[in-house]
Amino acid sequence: MMQPLLLLLAAYATAANAIDPINYFDATSLTSDEKEGYVSWLASSSSSADYPMHAFLPTANAEDGAAIFWSLHPEEKLVKFAIAVRATGWAGLGISQAGGMIGSDIVLFQSSNPDEVVDSYVVEEYDVPWVDDCPDWNLINATMTDDGWMIVEVSRFLDTNDSQDWPIVNDKELWSAPTRLIAAWGDSPSAMYHGQSNARGSVRLHAEPSFSSESAALGDVLEEQSNGLYFDVREDNHQIPARETQYHDVCKTFEELNIDQTGGITMIGVVPIISEETRQHIHHFTAYLQPNCDSPFPRSMIYIWAPGDEGWAMPEHVGFPLFHSENAQAIQLEIHYDNPTLIEGMVDSSGVRLYYSNEEREEKAAILELGDAFVGLAGQNINAGLTRYQFTCPGECSANVGSGSVTILNEYLHMHQNGVRMTNEVIRNDEVVRASSVDVYDFEQQGGFHVPQQPYEVLPGDGFRTTCYYRDGDKFGLDSDEEMCIAFVMYYPAKEFAGNPWMCPYGIGALERIGCEQELEFSDVASDDNLGRSFGTSNECAVDSLLPAPTQSPVTAAPTTSARPSVVIEPCVVCPDGSTADIDYVIPDSGGATCSIALAYIEATMDENTDSCTQVKEVESVCCPTLAANPCPFCSSGLTSTASSEVPGADGATCGDLVENANYLEEDSETCGFYELAEPFCCPTGDAVTPCPFCPDGITLDEDFVIPGAPNGETCGDLVEIARTSDGNGEICPQVQAAEIICCPSVEEVTTPPTTESLETPTVKPTSKSTPSPTASPELVTTGLVVTPCPFCPDGITLDEDFVIPGAPNGETCGDLVEIARTSDGNGEICPQVQA
């Protein structure tokens, strides 16, 4: 159960104390005398008592605005509003789903009829509002002062159960969507076209006390909860090129951020940092957690920003783990710039501020992307008229990925300018058990629609159905005049599969076998009545237009941009002919990703002409190796061992694997040279004429003793067999003999310390088994047995000899160190390492 956010309320109080509504109009050119009517109303006992919460909605040019006051009355299930504007004729206040005029529930006061207000609404047209069939707003009082102020007080139920009104839901928590208010006013006796006299903003009606700036209050809350711990990932005076589109990456590693904490931290909230000078050119940005700045795979989304988003704070028991594993040591910000008019000389320093705690939180959060998350429909045409595209993520996906239920915190629904409605439903046993929607999608107001809702639970076996409706769409793609259909779902606890975040996109065939590939249905829609909207549908009252058509054309706002996920202009293609590795082959050091999943994910999320693409193409060497021009002549006369014989020290690779893999290795390659180590085992010609003299008196350690630092776990017994079939004058013999100081140390001689190169073993072609690496790990270097050995635990070890030393580079045990000390000079460089 979620705990009360006491710190949240305390921060609200801090923010509110710094705000005095008497200062709301200070940015205007009004004199003190011109504000007298407004100030007098504020000073009245009724205003301070009846409206403890307030906010200021500025106009687009910030030269004017509307002061909004409100109070909630839960027992009566009522809300009361007051709006104060500089006007003599009319004023309107609206609750908007997306933040603009369309899709809004509006109450209008007109001086031509001062004894009542009009309950009205707008669905999709930029036109005069329509009268609500069932009026729900009530006029409390209207004050019109001699110096040109209009203060209108109204009330209504929080939820009127009227399809032409929006319910007022609990918006207190900072991970939920705020309430979006609009206002307009004028001097004509009846409502007309408002021109620049309109304002909008986001507030939290249920926060007590209130604040005027959501972003400022959010910052206060996060400062309090994080004890002032945060870091920024942002551009540093980036020159935006004079071209229509640019994707630019900014990456910071854990070390670069200079965080005073060992191990991971927990992100508890985020606030965007947007340069005002370039705001209109920032289309969107996404933030990912990934292994490092040179290796972007695997990675998981932790934040997406689009115009209109001001950030969020997590519940007190939930957070995003950062820098908690080797696959999560960097944060990469991908910023998409739009510059359609090719303006030169613009410099941007936008980015994101991440607030964190040094303490782990009970639950780990993640983001699930649904619908056409990777724009698999790019290039596909959309029919004229109304159309519907429906993506279904089967229930087996949630059942197969992890275990247990998850809690959905919030959802962002995203289309482009031809989208008119969007839903995201949870399906359980073929029934809809939960539906989130934006009934009137407004591309011009919000890049991604943040659904007003409370957290809810999704069970294993539940499916998702994401549906997008378009009017006269062109085609799917990346540009704003092309279409998308994506739902971003923030949830906890985080789920993973094969080292990747839980995802269920359209068009990624590799995910089909775990049930996580979207199924698509699309069709034409006959009319608006078939869109499935509830808002604006007729009640049982006659519908009449509120006002005559305006003498001026309705205003049409300039389009804003919308968020995009990590879609690409030119896909990064790895293995263009597909993977030749087994379908279940796991790429080494990839966090468990298979070739099939990795290739699809890379192509869908990365651009060809980026450093990230160059880096990930290294997987071609294991996922789709090409035949060598001069193949490695490994066992050229054929195997004399069985093909299924496992090569000692090769992590389960067989002689047959090596024979096949040799076809992909050039004869002069370093790896081919390593293969010679396995020829005595896979194709021995009998004992060598002059065999390699390795431990001629026999090994003194157990034949299963693994040589410390051996890159693939070779044992003393393995080297005896290799030496028996190797030429004493060949290149392999010295490499094998380097291990004598371990397998058969002699008091009389000090041998050359083994090197990492001396213990190299072959790299094999990918199979369903793991692949040995041709690069050895760091190790404790040993010498031989000496007259004055290193004094290590002279009274004997008190732990079990198989106890693994924490942090030992190759998993050395206490017993290993006893043996190493016995063969190390007490005055040499090795002894202090062992004694540590």
Side-chain angles (χ1 to χ4, degrees):
M1 180 178 296
M2 295 186 182
Q3 300 299 317
L5 293 182
L6 300 180
L7 291 176
L8 177 68
L9 299 181
Y12 283 157
T14 301
N17 291 337
I19 299 168
D20 188 338
I22 200 172
N23 300 319
Y24 276 162
F25 293 90
D26 283 357
T28 68
S29 57
L30 298 176
T31 65
S32 298
D33 290 342
E34 290 173 323
K35 291 200 295 183
E36 183 177 348
Y38 169 67
V39 173
S40 296
W41 180 81
L42 286 178
S44 67
S45 58
S46 61
S47 67
S48 58
D50 290 346
Y51 304 107
M53 297 174 279
H54 47 83
F56 185 71
L57 309 184
T59 57
N61 58 17
E63 294 179 358
D64 200 355
I68 310 297
F69 302 80
W70 70 92
S71 61
L72 299 176
H73 305 270
E75 292 184 1
E76 295 90 356
K77 300 180 180 179
L78 285 175
V79 59
K80 295 181 180 179
F81 282 102
I83 175 174
V85 292
R86 284 280 290 178
T88 59
W90 63 276
L93 174 66
I95 301 169
S96 172
Q97 190 176 36
M101 182 175 179
I102 69 172
S104 60
D105 168 19
I106 302 171
V107 56
L108 282 168
F109 173 82
Q110 302 169 100
S111 59
S112 59
N113 187 7
D115 296 326
E116 62 181 18
V117 290
V118 178
D119 189 353
S120 60
Y121 67 96
V122 174
V123 180
E124 203 173 333
E125 301 81 9
Y126 281 104
D127 206 338
V128 292
W130 291 79
V131 173
D132 195 319
D133 296 342
C134 304
D136 295 295
W137 288 97
N138 299 300
L139 178 64
I140 298 174
N141 187 53
T143 302
M144 290 177 283
T145 69
D146 293 339
D147 56 353
W149 288 93
M150 178 179 287
I151 298 115
V152 180
E153 301 171 66
V154 293
S155 68
R156 54 156 268 194
F157 286 113
L158 292 170
D159 188 353
T160 63
N161 293 311
D162 184 343
S163 61
Q164 294 164 351
D165 293 336
W166 288 120
I168 295 173
V169 300
N170 191 334
D171 57 4
K172 181 174 65 177
E173 286 81 6
L174 289 179
W175 60 85
S176 63
T179 299
R180 303 170 182 95
L181 299 180
I182 60 173
W185 55 94
D187 293 330
S188 59
S190 299
M192 298 289 289
Y193 172 59
H194 49 66
Q196 295 296 316
S197 299
N198 71 98
R200 65 195 66 192
S202 297
V203 301
R204 295 193 180 271
L205 297 178
H206 287 75
E208 187 176 356
S210 63
F211 50 89
S212 132
S213 167
E214 181 183 357
S215 59
L218 179 61
D220 288 342
V221 170
L222 291 173
E223 284 281 346
E224 188 79 21
Q225 291 186 345
S226 68
N227 292 320
L229 297 175
Y230 66 83
F231 60 87
D232 296 343
V233 181
R234 58 190 299 184
E235 294 280 21
D236 183 11
N237 293 321
H238 172 65
Q239 187 88 21
I240 301 176
R243 63 172 187 260
E244 289 190 9
T245 296
Q246 182 199 30
Y247 285 86
H248 191 257
D249 295 345
V250 181
C251 187
K252 295 290 184 182
T253 64
F254 178 74
E255 291 78 9
E256 291 174 323
L257 292 169
N258 296 318
I259 296 172
D260 186 18
Q261 168 77 353
T262 57
I265 60 176
T266 301
M267 184 178 81
I268 64 172
V270 59
V271 173
I273 304 170
I274 308 299
S275 298
E276 288 302 322
E277 299 81 2
T278 52
R279 177 182 290 271
Q280 63 177 321
H281 298 286
I282 305 172
H283 187 280
H284 82 282
F285 58 72
T286 51
Y288 291 92
L289 191 62
Q290 60 189 46
N292 53 64
C293 290
D294 297 323
S295 178
F297 186 83
R299 63 180 180 176
S300 57
M301 181 183 290
I302 58 173
Y303 181 55
I304 180 168
W305 177 87
D309 178 62
E310 295 182 343
W312 38 256
M314 301 296 287
E316 289 182 338
H317 67 302
V318 184
F320 281 85
L322 303 181
F323 315 122
H324 56 289
S325 72
E326 62 180 9
N327 283 329
Q329 291 298 305
I331 292 178
Q332 179 159 298
L333 194 66
E334 295 183 352
I335 303 182
H336 177 197
Y337 293 102
D338 266 356
N339 189 6
T341 55
L342 309 183
I343 300 173
E344 296 183 350
M346 291 186 296
V347 176
D348 179 58
S349 294
S350 297
V352 64
R353 175 161 294 175
L354 304 174
Y355 289 85
Y356 69 91
S357 168
N358 287 329
E359 304 297 326
E360 289 187 9
R361 288 195 167 183
E362 179 183 350
E363 300 288 359
K364 299 176 181 179
I367 295 176
L368 169 65
E369 299 174 66
L370 298 170
D372 191 11
F374 296 156
V375 199
L377 290 177
Q380 180 171 317
N381 293 330
I382 301 174
N383 292 343
L386 292 171
T387 52
R388 175 184 66 90
Y389 284 76
Q390 187 173 89
F391 301 86
T392 302
C393 179
E396 61 182 307
C397 181
S398 63
N400 291 340
V401 178
S403 61
S405 63
V406 300
T407 298
I408 307 300
L409 279 178
N410 58 44
E411 298 171 69
Y412 290 83
L413 307 182
H414 171 63
M415 299 183 290
H416 281 185
Q417 63 186 15
N418 296 112
V420 293
R421 183 173 185 259
M422 184 171 177
T423 64
N424 193 47
E425 301 167 304
V426 178
I427 312 298
R428 184 178 301 157
N429 299 324
D430 298 324
E431 294 185 0
V432 177
V433 296
R434 173 78 189 193
S436 304
S437 68
V438 49
D439 248 10
V440 186
Y441 187 82
D442 189 352
F443 174 81
E444 296 182 350
Q445 299 303 323
Q446 278 202 313
F449 177 76
H450 190 177
V451 179
Q453 62 188 5
Q454 296 302 302
Y456 66 91
E457 186 177 33
V458 171
L459 304 178
D462 286 353
F464 294 92
R465 186 165 62 205
T466 308
T467 308
C468 292
Y469 297 86
Y470 305 97
R471 188 187 306 277
D472 295 325
D474 180 18
K475 62 181 179 180
F476 289 94
L478 307 176
D479 295 338
S480 295
D481 58 355
E482 298 172 333
E483 281 308 324
M484 290 185 180
C485 181
I486 307 169
F488 300 95
V489 181
M490 185 186 295
Y491 72 96
Y492 71 86
K495 287 190 172 189
E496 290 186 348
F497 68 97
N500 296 280
W502 180 23
M503 65 180 77
C504 192
Y506 171 74
I508 306 297
L511 301 179
E512 183 176 3
R513 59 195 180 90
I514 60 170
C516 290
E517 184 183 20
Q518 294 270 359
E519 302 167 359
L520 170 64
E521 294 181 9
F522 60 92
S523 63
D524 293 332
V525 177
S527 69
D528 284 33
D529 294 337
N530 303 106
L531 288 174
R533 281 177 175 152
S534 58
F535 181 74
T537 55
S538 178
N539 295 316
E540 295 181 357
C541 307
V543 179
D544 296 312
S545 178
L546 170 66
L547 302 168
T551 56
Q552 297 170 284
S553 300
V555 65
T556 301
T560 60
T561 54
S562 68
R564 297 176 191 163
S566 268
V567 295
V568 297
I569 297 174
E570 183 179 353
C572 176
V573 179
V574 179
C575 295
D577 296 324
S579 173
T580 55
D582 291 348
I583 189 170
D584 293 321
Y585 172 69
V586 176
I587 302 169
D589 302 320
S590 70
T594 63
C595 283
S596 54
I597 291 176
L599 300 190
Y601 186 85
I602 290 167
E603 183 171 355
T605 61
M606 297 183 188
D607 285 298
E608 176 71 22
N609 299 315
T610 62
D611 291 340
S612 298
C613 181
T614 302
Q615 293 152 13
V616 299
K617 284 195 174 184
E618 293 177 2
V619 304
E620 289 184 333
S621 63
V622 294
C623 291
C624 53
T626 57
L627 292 173
N630 297 298
C632 177
F634 174 73
C635 291
S636 56
S637 299
L639 294 175
T640 53
S641 298
T642 60
S644 60
S645 297
E646 293 191 3
V647 179
D651 279 354
T654 67
C655 291
D657 293 334
L658 269 62
V659 167
E660 182 179 356
N661 193 48
N663 295 318
Y664 299 88
L665 300 173
E666 294 293 340
E667 182 176 5
D668 58 355
S669 67
E670 182 181 11
T671 304
C672 181
F674 295 149
Y675 271 44
E676 293 180 8
L677 288 170
E679 283 191 327
F681 178 82
C682 294
C683 47
T685 57
D687 289 351
V689 176
T690 306
C692 177
F694 175 75
C695 293
D697 296 326
I699 58 177
T700 55
L701 292 180
D702 188 88
E703 65 177 8
D704 294 326
F705 179 80
V706 178
I707 301 165
N712 295 293
E714 293 86 353
T715 67
C716 288
D718 294 335
L719 296 192
V720 168
E721 182 63 25
I722 292 173
R724 184 179 63 84
T725 57
S726 300
D727 187 350
N729 297 315
E731 295 180 2
I732 296 176
C733 188
Q735 302 177 44
V736 175
Q737 288 176 324
E740 285 186 321
I741 58 173
I742 301 296
C743 297
C744 51
S746 171
V747 176
E748 289 76 19
E749 63 178 352
V750 177
T751 57
T752 304
T755 63
T756 56
E757 290 81 2
S758 68
L759 299 177
E760 302 274 6
T761 53
T763 299
V764 298
K765 180 176 179 287
T767 67
S768 59
K769 302 174 183 177
S770 59
T771 302
S773 167
T775 304
S777 303
E779 62 199 72
L780 287 173
V781 182
T782 61
T783 58
L785 186 63
V786 293
V787 176
T788 306
C790 176
F792 175 74
C793 293
D795 297 326
I797 57 177
T798 55
L799 292 177
D800 188 89
E801 65 177 8
D802 294 325
F803 178 78
V804 178
I805 309 298
N810 294 290
E812 289 85 355
T813 66
C814 288
D816 293 338
L817 296 193
V818 168
E819 183 63 27
I820 292 172
R822 187 173 65 88
T823 59
S824 299
D825 187 350
N827 298 315
E829 296 180 0
I830 304 302
C831 189
Q833 300 179 46
V834 176
Q835 290 175 326

